[in-house]
């Protein structure tokens, strides 16, 4: 959680480090607001299914519950207090599906001609008017039609991601502070917000140690989470755009996700792999028989399907300039070092 008092991570640092973030510009054209497809039925000419995802932690990950407990309560007797993550009944770490959905939506918005999902009222006048959140459920931008908006549920959802092994590691985050007031020029262009802010991936996350850092429960490199992405009534281009966001447009745009807290110091890098796709074999039979089984795609069949959808996304929906800007920030692997001092 940030405070209002700006301060570097390392007070002895004299030369500011490179900014750990970059702005992805807004498209020049206004978003095309359209009526979303209905949710009353499954449309035969649309895509429906379940993507099975594996998320591999690349740098230390902490998705906070907002709860602080005694270290002894979670098996860390040497730590007085520690910030927690969600844990299952068997002690495995959990990432809420809503957190994953928010991460994926922010990237989806950036590479399509979409509005912002949520803004703080105090900054409303700083946002270009065409980027203000959609308020009419009959006139929605590309991201809102898929992820939802006011009075519109959306067409996808993530299950909670569960770690495949029990336990966690204790990490020690540095204190993070809001930007200096004079840094405003980094965010504005001609008096308006210049774009969407994304943090770079780095080769590791900063850990300040028990004497200086804030203790947190975290997943470390090579921890593996699994989750499912359920979708219905997506166009092929919308499905393809989701696959690009999940890093499947390789080798052109090998991006990874940034999840949880500590993004400025390199935390939260997760690489996604899609292992299986379940599709209804026959929508009518799904409701007429208890024995209806979905078609499962894996291996080469899955790759062919994904590449076809990704190609359609490039043709119809994805903004090439914004995708390239975004890929320059979120590309992974990377050789970028995290900022240890001022930036």
């Amino acid at each position: 959680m940030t405070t209002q008092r700006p301060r570097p991570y390392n007070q002895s640092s004299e030369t500011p480090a490179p900014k750990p973030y970059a702005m992805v510009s807004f498209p020049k054209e206004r978003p095309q607001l359209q009526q979303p497809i209905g949710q009353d039925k499954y449309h035969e000419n649309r895509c429906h299914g379940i993507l099975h995802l594996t998320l591999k932690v690349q740098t230390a990950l902490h998705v906070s519950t907002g709860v602080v407990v005694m270290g002894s309560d979670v098996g860390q007797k040497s730590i007085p207090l520690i910030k927690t993550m969600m844990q299952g009944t068997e002690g495995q770490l959990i990432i809420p599906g809503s957190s994953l959905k928010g991460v994926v939506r922010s990237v989806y918005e950036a590479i399509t001609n979409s509005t912002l999902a949520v803004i703080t009222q105090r900054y409303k006048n700083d946002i270009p008017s065409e980027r203000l959140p959609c308020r009419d459920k009959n006139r929605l931008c590309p991201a809102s039609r898929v992820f939802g908006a006011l009075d519109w549920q959306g067409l996808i959802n993530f299950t909670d991601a569960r770690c495949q092994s029990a336990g966690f590691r204790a990490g020690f985050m540095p204190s993070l502070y809001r930007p200096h007031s004079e840094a405003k020029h980094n965010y504005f262009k001609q008096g308006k917000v210049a774009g969407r802010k994304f943090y770079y991936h780095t080769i590791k996350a900063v850990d300040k140690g028990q004497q200086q850092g804030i203790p947190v429960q975290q997943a470390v490199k090579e921890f593996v989470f699994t989750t499912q992405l359920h979708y219905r009534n997506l166009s092929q281009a919308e499905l393809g755009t989701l696959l690009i966001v999940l890093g499947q447009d390789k080798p052109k745009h090998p991006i990874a996700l940034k999840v949880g807290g500590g993004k400025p110091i390199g935390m939260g890098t997760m690489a996604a792999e899609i292992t299986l796709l379940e599709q209804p074999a026959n929508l009518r039979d799904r409701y007429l028989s208890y024995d209806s089984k979905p078609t499962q795609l894996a291996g080469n069949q899955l790759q062919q399907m994904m590449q076809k959808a990704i190609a359609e996304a490039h043709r119809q929906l994805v903004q090439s300039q914004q995708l390239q800007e975004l890929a320059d920030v979120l590309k992974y692997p990377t050789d970028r070092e995290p900022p240890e001092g001022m930036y």
Side-chain angles (χ1 to χ4, degrees):
M1 184 173 180
T2 59
T3 66
Q4 293 188 355
R5 183 162 57 97
R7 204 166 83 188
Y9 308 134
N10 184 351
Q11 295 284 6
S12 63
S13 177
E14 296 180 358
T15 303
K19 302 294 183 187
Y21 62 84
M23 306 295 289
V24 174
S25 65
F26 295 126
K28 294 180 180 179
E29 299 78 16
R30 298 178 67 89
Q32 292 186 353
L33 305 183
Q34 301 176 6
Q35 184 167 357
I37 192 166
Q39 297 172 323
D40 57 322
K41 64 179 181 180
Y42 286 88
H43 293 261
E44 291 285 354
N45 62 340
R46 291 278 177 147
C47 302
H48 327 279
I50 303 173
L51 290 173
H52 293 248
L53 283 80
T54 297
L55 303 174
K56 295 183 179 179
V57 177
Q58 304 299 317
T59 63
L61 167 79
H62 173 73
V63 182
S64 180
T65 62
V67 176
V68 177
V69 303
M70 296 178 63
S72 58
D73 290 344
V74 290
Q76 299 289 321
K77 295 182 179 180
S78 63
I79 300 174
L81 298 171
I82 188 169
K83 289 187 173 183
T84 60
M85 287 183 64
M86 284 180 59
Q87 285 187 271
T89 55
E90 298 180 359
Q92 73 275 30
L93 295 176
I94 294 174
I95 303 172
S98 57
S99 296
L100 294 173
K101 185 176 179 180
V103 169
V104 172
R105 176 172 186 150
S106 65
V107 181
Y108 193 105
E109 286 180 6
I111 64 174
T112 59
N113 194 0
S114 296
T115 67
L116 297 169
V118 179
I119 62 170
T120 304
Q121 282 299 115
R122 63 180 292 190
Y123 298 118
K124 181 177 179 180
N125 293 333
D126 297 325
I127 308 295
S129 60
E130 68 273 14
R131 300 297 160 186
L132 294 175
C134 296
R135 296 299 182 188
D136 182 352
K137 67 178 181 180
N138 295 313
R139 299 181 68 250
L140 299 179
C141 72
S144 295
R145 294 197 293 270
V146 172
F147 290 86
L150 184 67
D151 294 330
W152 173 250
Q153 185 177 2
L155 303 174
I156 73 167
N157 70 280
F158 284 87
T159 62
D160 293 343
R162 296 179 177 271
C163 191
Q164 295 306 288
S165 55
F168 66 93
R169 301 291 184 272
F172 301 92
M173 294 174 57
S175 297
L176 303 178
Y177 299 89
R178 65 180 297 177
H180 289 271
S181 58
E182 58 266 26
K184 187 175 180 179
H185 67 275
N186 293 322
Y187 302 97
F188 287 78
K189 182 178 181 181
Q190 297 178 343
K192 296 291 184 179
V193 172
R196 295 175 170 88
K197 181 179 179 180
F198 290 90
Y199 287 95
Y200 289 100
H201 294 298
T202 59
I203 60 174
K204 62 180 180 180
V206 175
D207 190 308
K208 300 303 288 186
Q210 189 167 351
Q211 298 303 314
Q212 300 181 35
I214 300 170
V216 296
Q217 283 186 319
Q218 64 182 25
V220 294
K221 187 175 176 66
E222 300 306 325
F223 273 41
V224 176
F225 290 76
T226 57
T227 185
Q228 295 178 5
L229 168 56
H230 296 247
Y231 62 91
R232 62 189 184 279
N233 286 340
L234 293 182
S235 69
Q236 192 170 46
E238 290 169 338
L239 176 57
T241 305
L242 279 173
L243 295 172
I244 293 172
V245 174
L246 294 170
Q248 305 307 302
D249 191 15
K250 302 173 183 178
K252 295 179 180 179
H253 305 104
I255 63 178
L257 301 176
K258 269 281 200 180
V259 183
K263 294 181 180 69
I265 55 169
M267 294 182 68
T269 297
M270 301 190 82
E273 178 185 357
I274 297 175
T275 58
L276 182 70
L277 168 62
E278 293 184 34
Q279 294 178 315
N282 186 298
L283 290 172
R284 184 172 180 272
D285 289 348
R286 183 179 183 181
Y287 296 97
L288 295 178
S289 171
Y290 289 112
D291 298 326
S292 177
K293 294 182 180 180
T295 300
Q296 295 186 341
L297 298 182
N300 289 334
Q301 283 186 316
L302 176 59
Q303 289 299 320
Q304 290 173 7
M305 184 284 298
M306 291 197 298
Q307 292 308 312
K308 184 177 180 180
I310 288 171
E312 199 64 28
H314 282 292
R315 281 193 291 268
Q316 294 189 30
L317 197 54
V318 172
Q319 302 287 307
S320 57
Q321 177 183 337
Q322 280 66 38
L323 174 58
Q324 188 56 56
E325 292 177 10
L326 191 283
D328 289 342
V329 181
L330 294 184
K331 64 182 178 182
Y332 195 83
T334 181
D335 57 2
R336 190 181 183 93
E337 295 280 351
E340 290 279 358
M342 294 179 62
Y343 65 80

